[in-house]
């Protein structure tokens, strides 16, 4: 009933067609791309302006209704899954790229802009926006802000947080705030921009983002490096750095991932290859060509059995196409799949891969691994068919997390906590740190209505029972 | 009396010699390098461990005594000036570089480590820590964290916040927290690391920092570009970017700054030069040499009258020596000096310089300007001799701030708010944003004892009256 009252207020403020209740539409807003169970929202709300978003949050506050902000729903941990009994707030009416300034190297966009569209528009003007999560042709800037999106190029360029200069946001009680700056530097007050980036829709709703750009690199080259064992993978991952070269990405694929990529890779992958690195360099033409030679030599010295180079853009694109499909092709390999997203120091990659291999042997769970090896950020997957294998999967996941934390790593390199990792958060963070974050949320969202079941155990417990959402 | 009780508790916890009350020593801790009036602390406290810092904060909480954390006191806005009636907490017993790992590209240091020492130690291992504030031979990592230190190289590499992966901190109530991560990526929870960086000692005391490193660039070259007018300065600042080259710094010196640098520059500065850019490129040898040629050509096309190149490291170092002394040489030019630190979009540099020139003419105040032009971050100075000129100075400062904000800029590019800019904060940030920050401070520092008079008007008013510290 209080939801209905909130929706009346919202429709009055945002206009006809701003509240969607069609069951099929709501169904489509019920999940992200994770394994979290779908949850149909009571309604979906479409805002066109920051003032609309403010009205939505005021109405939701007044009637104590949960609001889950949603981009394209491409997240991996259930952060965009609607809170039971709540609304989703979608950004499909806020899709304008307001400004790309190639002289100031700044862009301003609304939250519903698709990242890939920003990439293309920027490139037309000779500039470049680095973050490149896998879902870049669907995911939105608002979602990228909420998740601190990464991607392969994060190795050289860092994640979303490094590229957000300022945000216009609406907090839980409907206050519109301008955070941050429009200039590359600025230290006026606390960095609330950095705080909101990666907060998974729990602190505020982004209504505009001011982004930093770079001149577009002249040339990009892609190298495939085939390696026989985990030690050589680790050596190869560090090989470019040791030559003072920072590649823009160093992606890893283990033998299972490699087999899945093989049919569509468009480049002949050697039959006996155990694992592969996909290394990219960017910069001006002469530099890249020289670095390519140095890196290739370094990879052979690190133990590579073979090094191939993509001959042209078409080859590059086909290869990346196959790499980007990997998460989906992997899902088809078994009835059930869970994907974790740990990050370890670069020099612990071999140890982590060894540990995963042993765990897979012990538990009988298939555990293919791939990801952003240059950053030590690996996606460890768990594939299984029979329901009675689930306890073994749970044991394997906990064991991976324990190993990762022992190595000085973290539970999540880029996917976040959402619902899926809430039950494990306490393994990495003590109670007082979690409590401090929950209190900060309380300042941005005094009524606790902004995606309240995500990230922290308290909200998850309230909405999903003792074990969070899993 | 309550201070005395706090000091007894502190000395008991931290050992003999941990509490300093010698007047000369206290005098030396009374100020930073800004124009803020000195304020002698009641005592200085020396902690050797995080547990000591925790004991200090617990004692100070219990007895309601203000604590100002202090690095080397090289700040520019009075942020390290002791709070009246309070203690300073110094880091001279925490000077260990605990780890520099050139394979993981990570360093771990205690807060009292001098930045220049970290630079040298890193370079010995072939790695590189980019932040380079002017005071790098004195300033400490703890202070760099507190101020989000920048420097010339911020243009290519960003400021301190980009290079801090994790922090061990002690909050106002003495809680020891491990924030952030030890890996390049990580999205477990809110980014409290980024929040603490730049918080000027108001949220927490840093007791350990985990820093990100890069491979050291093979070569650095320095170019001097002499320009006839403001328009050509602006064109020259953008010229490298337009050729897809990102210099590591683009520093600007106006004609007054140039005259002051001339005697010690070690390079013949043309007699008629109106202003100069100091441009540095870094990378591998061949790339840098080629970029130097392209940039030189671009500068001439942008209107440069002359381009010189430093012939060797000795020439480079002498030039930078003169540049780094500039703030001090400028102070000797008049009885009084105030230095502001605004940042505007790169394409508004000419407009800002024009505005400063007109204001200087109107007010009769000498206003030399120099700084990090590539980032649009200019240090506008105000020099005057007679006390009765002060209202004109105040008018000029406010006018510069108004112009900067109109241009989409910010009050402080890298110096921070401290005490000096508190009276102007409301020009950039509305009351609700300031209040939100003060509430966040309340969570980290429930008793309000951590540098309570800095950054925000409420604390400043309590300790210094209605107009902050000015």
């Amino acid at each position: 009933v209080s939801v209905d009252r909130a929706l009346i207020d919202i429709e009055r403020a945002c206009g006809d067609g701003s509240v969607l209740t069609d069951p099929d539409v709501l169904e489509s807003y019920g999940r992200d791309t994770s394994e979290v169970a779908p949850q149909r929202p009571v309604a979906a709300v479409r805002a066109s302006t920051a003032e609309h978003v403010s009205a939505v949050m005021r109405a939701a506050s007044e009637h104590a209704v949960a609001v889950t902000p949603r981009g394209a729903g491409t997240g991996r941990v259930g952060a965009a899954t609607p809170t039971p009994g709540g609304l989703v707030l979608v950004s499909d009416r806020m899709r304008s790229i307001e400004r790309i300034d190639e002289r100031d190297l700044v862009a301003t966009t609304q939250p519903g802009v698709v990242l890939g569209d920003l990439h293309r528009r920027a490139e037309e003007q000779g500039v470049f926006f680095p973050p490149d999560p896998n879902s870049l042709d669907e995911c939105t800037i608002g979602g990228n802000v909420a998740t601190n999106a990464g991607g392969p190029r994060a190795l050289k360029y860092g994640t979303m947080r490094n590229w957000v200069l300022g945000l216009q946001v609406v907090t839980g009680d409907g206050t519109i705030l301008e955070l941050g700056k429009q200039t590359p530097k600025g230290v006026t007050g606390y960095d609330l921009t950095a705080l909101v980036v990666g907060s998974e829709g729990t602190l505020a709703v982004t209504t505009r983002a001011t982004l930093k750009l770079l001149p577009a690199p002249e040339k990009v080259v892609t190298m495939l490096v085939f390696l026989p064992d985990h030690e050589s993978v680790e050596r190869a991952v560090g090989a470019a750095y040791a030559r003072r070269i920072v590649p823009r990405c160093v992606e890893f694929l283990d033998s299972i991932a490699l087999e899945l990529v093989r049919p569509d890779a468009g480049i002949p992958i050697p039959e006996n290859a155990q694992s592969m690195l996909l290394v990219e360099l960017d910069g001006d033409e002469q530099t890249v060509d020289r670095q390519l030679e140095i890196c290739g030599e370094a990879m052979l010295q690190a133990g590579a059995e073979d090094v191939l180079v993509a001959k042209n853009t078409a080859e590059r694109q086909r290869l990346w196409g196959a790499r980007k499909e990997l998460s989906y092709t992997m899902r088809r390999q078994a009835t059930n799949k869970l994907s974790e997203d740990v990050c370890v120091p670069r020099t612990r990659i071999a140890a982590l891969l060894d540990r995963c291999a042993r765990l897979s042997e012990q538990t009988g769970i298939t555990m293919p691994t791939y990801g952003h090896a240059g950053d030590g950020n690996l996606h460890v997957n768990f594939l299984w068919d029979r329901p009675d294998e689930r306890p073994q999967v749970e044991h394997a996941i906990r064991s991976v997390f324990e190993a990762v934390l022992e190595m000085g790593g973290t539970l999540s390199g880029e996917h976040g906590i959402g619902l899926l990792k809430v039950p494990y958060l306490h393994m990495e963070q003590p109670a007082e740190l979690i409590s401090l974050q929950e209190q900060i949320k309380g300042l941005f969202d005094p009524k606790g209505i902004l995606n309240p079941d995500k990230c922290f155990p308290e909200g998850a417990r309230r909405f999903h029972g003792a074990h969070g959402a899993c």
Side-chain angles (χ1 to χ4, degrees), chain A:
Chain A
V1 177
S2 56
V3 177
D4 294 339
R5 282 201 296 258
L7 289 173
I8 290 167
D9 290 354
I10 289 169
E11 193 150 32
R12 192 174 300 139
C14 303
D16 283 351
S18 58
V19 174
L20 305 177
T21 52
D22 179 274
D24 289 346
V25 172
L26 298 186
E27 200 68 44
S28 74
Y29 290 141
R31 60 174 304 155
D32 64 3
T33 62
S34 73
E35 297 75 21
V36 170
Q39 172 71 48
R40 213 162 78 175
V42 175
V45 175
R46 310 168 82 196
S48 306
T49 63
E51 289 67 30
H52 283 178
V53 173
S54 172
V56 171
M57 296 315 301
R58 284 198 310 272
S61 289
E62 198 182 324
H63 301 289
V65 176
V67 176
T68 296
R70 184 181 178 89
T74 53
R76 297 286 192 192
V77 289
T81 310
T83 303
L87 311 176
V88 294
L89 175 57
V90 297
S91 59
D92 63 338
R93 288 183 167 178
M94 298 181 78
R95 291 183 175 248
S96 161
I97 298 175
E98 296 177 346
R99 172 182 174 230
I100 295 180
D101 189 319
E102 75 277 10
R103 291 174 62 219
D104 276 335
L105 293 169
V106 164
T108 312
T109 85
Q110 289 189 321
V113 168
V114 171
L115 175 60
D117 291 340
L118 176 65
H119 281 181
R120 281 181 285 277
R121 281 278 304 278
E123 276 154 36
E124 284 166 21
Q125 289 178 236
V127 289
F128 174 56
F129 185 68
D132 64 337
N134 203 2
S135 53
L136 64 87
D137 284 321
E138 295 170 71
C139 66
T140 63
I141 298 297
N144 300 153
V145 167
T147 56
N148 185 23
R153 301 196 298 225
L155 177 59
K156 180 169 181 177
Y157 295 105
T159 57
M160 195 71 183
R161 193 178 283 113
N162 295 101
W163 301 96
V164 181
L165 296 172
L167 292 173
Q168 185 191 60
V169 299
V170 179
T171 58
D173 61 3
T175 308
I176 302 175
L177 293 176
E178 301 283 344
L179 308 179
K181 53 199 189 290
Q182 299 170 269
T183 47
K185 282 163 90 178
V187 290
T188 301
Y190 299 156
D191 192 348
L192 301 190
T193 309
L195 187 66
V196 168
V197 175
S199 64
E200 305 189 20
T202 63
L203 292 179
V205 182
T206 299
T207 50
R208 180 181 291 121
T210 302
L211 307 170
K212 184 176 164 174
L213 306 172
L214 277 180
E218 221 172 88
K219 186 176 178 178
V220 183
V221 292
T222 306
M223 185 177 17
L224 304 186
V225 182
F226 300 99
L227 295 151
D229 52 35
H230 295 165
E231 287 63 39
S232 61
V233 169
E234 186 173 294
R235 281 197 305 273
V237 164
Y241 281 98
R243 271 84 179 169
R244 303 193 184 202
I245 293 170
V246 181
R248 82 165 177 179
C249 41
V250 177
E251 296 286 295
F252 166 73
L253 285 79
D254 76 358
S255 58
I256 303 175
L258 206 47
E259 282 315 303
L260 295 178
V261 159
R262 185 192 297 275
D264 300 312
I267 281 188
I269 294 173
E271 277 307 319
N272 60 344
Q274 275 307 297
S275 60
M276 179 177 96
L277 293 185
L278 196 162
V279 179
E280 282 202 345
L281 302 162
D282 68 2
D284 68 69
E285 186 158 350
Q286 285 131 305
T287 306
V288 164
D289 289 346
R290 195 172 55 254
Q291 288 185 344
L292 182 68
E293 211 164 297
I294 297 169
C295 271
E297 191 53 49
M299 295 301 166
L300 292 171
Q301 279 176 29
E305 289 172 333
D306 210 350
V307 174
L308 298 178
V309 177
K311 282 191 286 293
N312 49 45
T313 311
E315 263 194 20
R316 267 195 70 227
Q317 282 173 347
R318 186 157 171 202
L319 196 57
W320 274 105
R323 159 67 184 85
K324 286 189 179 173
E325 280 303 304
L326 197 44
S327 166
Y328 307 100
T329 22
M330 207 162 273
R331 182 161 297 159
R332 293 192 290 270
Q333 301 306 302
T335 315
N336 303 292
K337 177 195 144 193
L338 270 171
S339 169
E340 294 301 344
D341 163 49
V342 297
C343 193
V344 293
R346 204 173 281 130
T347 54
R348 305 309 298 276
I349 288 175
L352 177 63
L353 293 173
D354 287 349
R355 185 93 182 90
C356 289
R358 281 205 308 281
L359 273 168
S360 175
E361 218 169 282
Q362 281 164 25
T363 58
I365 306 299
T366 310
M367 289 171 57
T369 298
Y370 65 95
H372 318 304
D375 276 320
N377 179 200
L378 294 183
H379 301 320
V380 182
N381 292 268
F382 302 83
L383 306 180
W384 75 101
D385 289 311
R386 300 192 324 269
D388 66 345
E389 292 175 295
R390 180 76 205 213
Q392 289 292 58
V393 172
E394 182 57 27
H395 167 72
I397 290 177
R398 285 205 176 259
S399 302
V400 169
F401 286 163
E402 279 163 14
V404 161
L405 293 172
E406 245 177 63
M407 292 173 189
T410 178
L411 298 185
S412 181
E414 58 180 22
H415 291 173
I417 302 302
L419 285 172
L420 214 49
K421 284 190 183 168
V422 172
Y424 308 102
L425 183 62
H426 69 95
M427 293 176 71
E428 182 166 343
Q429 298 192 342
E432 63 252 55
L433 182 54
I434 295 173
S435 161
L436 177 59
Q437 295 173 78
E438 289 174 318
Q439 289 174 66
I440 290 173
K441 174 173 171 56
L443 297 179
F444 281 81
D445 177 29
K447 292 281 179 69
I449 56 166
L450 258 176
N451 220 9
D453 50 339
K454 309 309 184 313
C455 292
F456 304 114
E458 203 49 59
R461 199 151 31 229
R462 205 158 3 157
F463 286 93
H464 307 276
H467 292 288
C470 280

